[in-house]
Amino acid sequence: MTDSKSNPVTRRYLLLATSGVAAVGVVGAAVPFVQSWTPSAKARALGAPIKVDISKLEPGEILGPIPAWRGQPVFVIHRTQAALEILEKEVDDLADPLSKKSTQPDYAVNGWRSVRPEIGVYLGLCTHLGCSPKYEPKVQPEPFDSSWKGGFFCPCHGSKFDLAGRVEKNLPAPTNLIVPPHRYETDSVIVIGEDMEIA
């Protein structure tokens, strides 16, 4: 039997073979780990912008079927002229009428919380616990509000939002409905998930 101390060739061979196997093992373990940082095709698709056609959306209507962006419903509404006039006047009961504490792009910090006054784009989730509010556009007494001026009502805990997605005071929802980033590709196509360029 040969002593490895007396055979430097064998010792070098064993050292190189062990190092080679270890290197292959490290690479084999690192590849799946690094690949796990890359989002899956499904995750990329969920975060991708979507296009919605509003060419058939009439005043007073909500776009249906409700589109989804990042797995969340998006309310796209067409406000009537009467609704726009109410939005300008009825601000005393709102918790955040100027949207200072709420989430929206800079181009939607206005009384309508939108790019175009007549078209509103909001995530369809109540900012209280994520329930989906119901669209109630008519100005008429409702079981939940005898002086209803139109907007969104969350039946889960009673939060009420006007047609600009602004929440009323002293209700469970802490902030206005979220306005997602969006831009107009044409007059009738909105790209949700991409910000418009501000000149």
Side-chain angles (χ1 to χ4, degrees), residues 108-171:
V109 179
N110 51 47
W112 311 282
R113 300 185 73 235
S114 61
V115 177
R116 290 168 40 186
E118 72 277 12
I119 304 294
V121 181
Y122 310 102
L123 291 186
L125 298 173
C126 179
T127 55
H128 176 225
L129 292 176
C131 303
S132 190
K134 302 217 179 296
Y135 178 59
E136 303 284 353
K138 293 183 180 175
V139 179
Q140 64 184 23
E142 295 286 353
F144 53 84
D145 189 338
S146 60
S147 60
W148 184 246
K149 301 287 190 282
F152 303 93
F153 173 68
C154 185
C156 299
H157 301 96
S159 293
K160 295 180 274 187
F161 304 86
D162 69 3
L163 284 170
R166 299 177 298 185
V167 69
E168 288 188 14
K169 291 177 184 174
N170 305 316
L171 294 174

Side-chain angles (χ1 to χ4, degrees), residues 8 11 14 21 34 40 51-52 58 60 75 78 109 144 197:
R11 188 175 27 195
L14 288 173
V21 169
V34 171
S40 67
K51 293 183 182 183
V52 294
E58 296 293 327
F75 293 161
H78 190 163
V109 179
F144 53 84
E197 293 181 14

Side-chain angles (χ1 to χ4, degrees), residues 58-136:
E58 296 293 327
E61 292 182 346
I62 187 168
L63 186 67
I66 305 284
W69 175 66
R70 293 186 173 177
Q72 301 173 47
V74 179
F75 293 161
V76 181
I77 62 170
H78 190 163
R79 292 180 279 247
T80 63
Q81 186 58 42
L84 291 174
E85 291 169 9
I86 289 172
L87 289 179
E88 291 177 5
K89 296 175 189 171
E90 304 288 332
V91 296
D92 294 339
D93 292 337
L94 301 176
D96 187 16
L98 302 176
S99 300
K100 292 183 177 179
K101 298 180 246 172
S102 301
T103 304
Q104 65 276 316
D106 289 342
Y107 48 81
V109 179
N110 51 47
W112 311 282
R113 300 185 73 235
S114 61
V115 177
R116 290 168 40 186
E118 72 277 12
I119 304 294
V121 181
Y122 310 102
L123 291 186
L125 298 173
C126 179
T127 55
H128 176 225
L129 292 176
C131 303
S132 190
K134 302 217 179 296
Y135 178 59
E136 303 284 353

